[in-house]
Amino acid sequence: MHRKNRSYHSYRGIALWLGVILAVTLSCDLTGTSSDSAQKTIAALSIEQTVIAQQSGQDIQATSQAEAATRVAMEVQATMLAVQASQPTPQPVEETQPPLPAVSEAPPETPPPPAQVDEAVIKAAKILLFEDMSGHRTEFDVVPKFRGIYPTRYVKEALDMGGYAYIDVGSAQGWLKDQLFSSTQWDLIIVSSEARTRIQGEYFVYLLEHLNRGTAVILELWNMDELSEGKIAPILAKCGVEFQDDWSGNRELALWPLIPEHPIFHEPNSGISLRNYEAFWLGDHGDLMRLSGSGDAQLLLGTIATQKSDHGTMVMCMGGRLVIQTYCDHDFAQEEIVPLWENVIFNVLRNKLSSSLSN
C-alpha cells in the first residue's frame, strides 16, 4: 500500500513537471523566445526530476519512471524544435517613420500693382518746364542749313499736345531757380538743356532735393561727360547709372528701344521710333550711359539694340520718377520725338502719382 502511494505520487509529480515543461515551451514559442532558451529550460527540468527521484530513496521503478519522464520531456523538446524549424524565421520589423506632411512653399511675395491714377489727375499735375531752346537762335553750332532759325520747342509741343497745364520759364535760369525755391509742391520738373547754355552746378543740388521729396524729374543733357564728376554725381549714383562715352562725330544716330514692351513706348502713343534722324548739331550729339550696379536704373534707349546695360541714351530709375536723356531732340524728326516726349511725361507722372497714392 505504501509503495502504491509512492508510485501514485511519482506519477503525479511527473505529470506536473510535464505540464510545466509544456507551458514553458509554449510560452517561449508565443513570446518569440529563442529555441536555445527553451532547450536549456527543458533539459534542466528533466535532470532535476531525475535527481529528486534518486535522492528521495525511491525504488528502481520510481527511478525508471523518472527516467521515462525525462525521455518524454526530451521527445517533447524534439517535437517543439521540429515545429519551430518548419516555421519561417520571423524577420525583424523595421520601424518606419510616418511620412512627413507635405510642406508647400509660400509663393514669392510680389509687389502690389501700382495704384490706378485717373487721367484727369495726371493732366492736373503741377508741372514746371525749363527748355533752353526757347528764344534760342541757332548759330555756328548747328548744321549750316539750320543756322539762323528759332527751332521748335519739342517739349512744349508735347505738353500742349497732351493737354497739360504747366509753368513755363523758357530758358531763363534765374526764373527756374526762383520756382525751385518757391512753396509750390511740384509733381514734375522738366529740365531740357539741349542748347549749349549748359545748365549745371547748383541746379543739380536743387533737383536732388526735389527728388528726395518725391517729385518726378525729367532731365535732358548733352554734356554729361563734362558734368558726371560734379554735382550731378549724387543723382547718377542714386539712379544707378554712370557716364560711359562721348557720343560725337559723324556716326549713325538711330536709337533702339532696349525694353520694347515698356509702356513708355506705347502709352499714350504707340509706334514710337527714333530711326528717322538728320544731324542738327555739329560734332557732339550727346553721351552714352551704362548701368553702375546701384539703384533701380533701366536703360530704355540705346545705340545698340542688343546691349541692355550700356551704350544707353535714356534711363528710367527711382521708381520711375526720374528719366535722364542724353541725346539731342533736334537730331530726330519732330513727328517722332514729340510723341515720345508725351509718353515720357505721361508715364513719369503716373509713376509719381501712383507712388503717392500707395503711400
Side-chain angles (χ1 to χ4, degrees):
M1 181 69 180
H2 184 68
R3 184 184 299 276
K4 182 177 180 181
N5 288 338
R6 284 195 302 174
S7 298
Y8 169 77
H9 289 300
S10 298
Y11 284 120
R12 186 178 178 184
I14 292 170
L16 289 172
W17 282 110
L18 286 174
V20 172
I21 292 169
L22 289 172
V24 171
T25 305
L26 291 173
S27 175
C28 291
D29 183 63
L30 291 173
T31 58
T33 306
S34 66
S35 60
D36 184 61
S37 298
Q39 182 180 357
K40 290 179 181 179
T41 302
I42 295 171
L45 291 172
S46 300
I47 294 169
E48 183 179 358
Q49 177 64 26
T50 303
V51 172
I52 292 172
Q54 292 174 346
Q55 290 179 350
S56 62
Q58 294 175 351
D59 55 15
I60 297 173
Q61 182 179 359
T63 303
S64 298
Q65 290 170 351
E67 292 174 350
T70 300
R71 287 194 299 273
V72 171
M74 297 300 291
E75 290 174 359
V76 171
Q77 174 193 358
T79 301
M80 295 306 298
L81 291 175
V83 171
Q84 290 179 357
S86 65
Q87 295 178 349
T89 303
Q91 298 296 322
V93 179
E94 295 183 0
E95 294 185 4
T96 58
Q97 296 292 335
L100 295 175
V103 179
S104 58
E105 294 184 0
E109 185 177 351
T110 55
Q116 296 298 317
V117 182
D118 188 86
E119 186 171 344
V121 176
I122 296 176
K123 296 301 176 68
K126 296 177 180 179
I127 302 172
L128 173 62
L129 171 63
F130 170 87
E131 186 176 15
D132 65 2
M133 293 297 285
S134 172
H136 180 80
R137 186 174 183 273
T138 58
E139 299 295 341
F140 294 100
D141 46 7
V142 301
V143 173
K145 70 176 182 178
F146 296 122
R147 291 174 184 168
I149 66 171
Y150 290 91
T152 301
R153 296 178 58 189
Y154 288 165
V155 185
K156 185 178 184 303
E157 285 285 317
L159 286 167
D160 292 341
M161 187 169 69
Y164 294 95
Y166 55 94
I167 299 297
D168 180 16
V169 298
S171 59
Q173 295 188 27
W175 291 357
L176 171 61
K177 185 175 180 179
D178 290 342
Q179 292 297 334
L180 292 175
F181 278 96
S182 72
S183 60
T184 304
Q185 299 296 314
W186 300 106
D187 294 307
L188 171 62
I189 299 171
I190 302 173
V191 175
S192 173
S193 182
E194 181 184 1
R196 289 1 192 192
T197 53
R198 303 175 183 241
I199 192 165
Q200 55 190 329
E202 60 182 320
Y203 290 95
F204 299 124
V205 176
Y206 308 149
L207 291 174
L208 181 58
E209 291 175 353
H210 281 275
L211 282 167
N212 290 336
R213 290 199 293 265
T215 305
V217 172
I218 303 174
L219 182 58
E220 177 186 353
L221 299 169
W222 61 274
N223 58 334
M224 186 184 286
D225 53 334
E226 301 174 2
L227 303 171
S228 61
E229 300 298 326
K231 292 184 178 180
I232 195 177
I235 295 178
L236 300 180
K238 194 162 189 173
C239 177
V241 72
E242 61 188 10
F243 169 76
Q244 177 184 353
D245 195 10
D246 186 43
W247 190 26
S248 60
N250 295 324
R251 61 176 72 184
E252 184 176 340
L253 300 179
L255 296 178
W256 304 87
L258 303 181
I259 308 178
E261 67 277 10
H262 198 282
I264 211 166
F265 300 118
H266 303 281
E267 299 177 47
N269 303 303
S270 59
I272 298 297
S273 172
L274 291 184
R275 293 192 290 274
N276 182 10
Y277 61 87
E278 182 178 7
F280 181 88
W281 300 97
L282 286 175
D284 199 338
H285 299 283
D287 295 299
L288 302 177
M289 297 177 287
R290 63 187 170 206
L291 300 180
S292 64
S294 62
D296 62 345
Q298 289 182 303
L299 294 181
L300 300 181
L301 284 172
T303 58
I304 303 176
T306 57
Q307 297 292 98
K308 309 297 183 180
S309 60
D310 53 32
H311 290 82
T313 57
M314 177 188 284
V315 62
M316 175 178 277
C317 54
M318 295 185 67
R321 291 189 296 112
L322 172 62
V323 168
I324 302 175
Q325 167 190 324
T326 57
Y327 58 87
C328 297
D329 289 338
H330 283 77
D331 280 333
F332 298 90
Q334 180 174 344
E335 62 270 18
E336 291 186 348
I337 203 70
V338 172
L340 176 59
W341 261 106
E342 186 184 357
N343 283 13
V344 173
I345 293 167
F346 178 84
N347 280 274
V348 168
L349 274 174
R350 181 169 62 181
N351 292 337
K352 181 265 184 292
L353 296 172
S354 296
S355 176
S356 298
L357 288 178
S358 300
N359 296 332

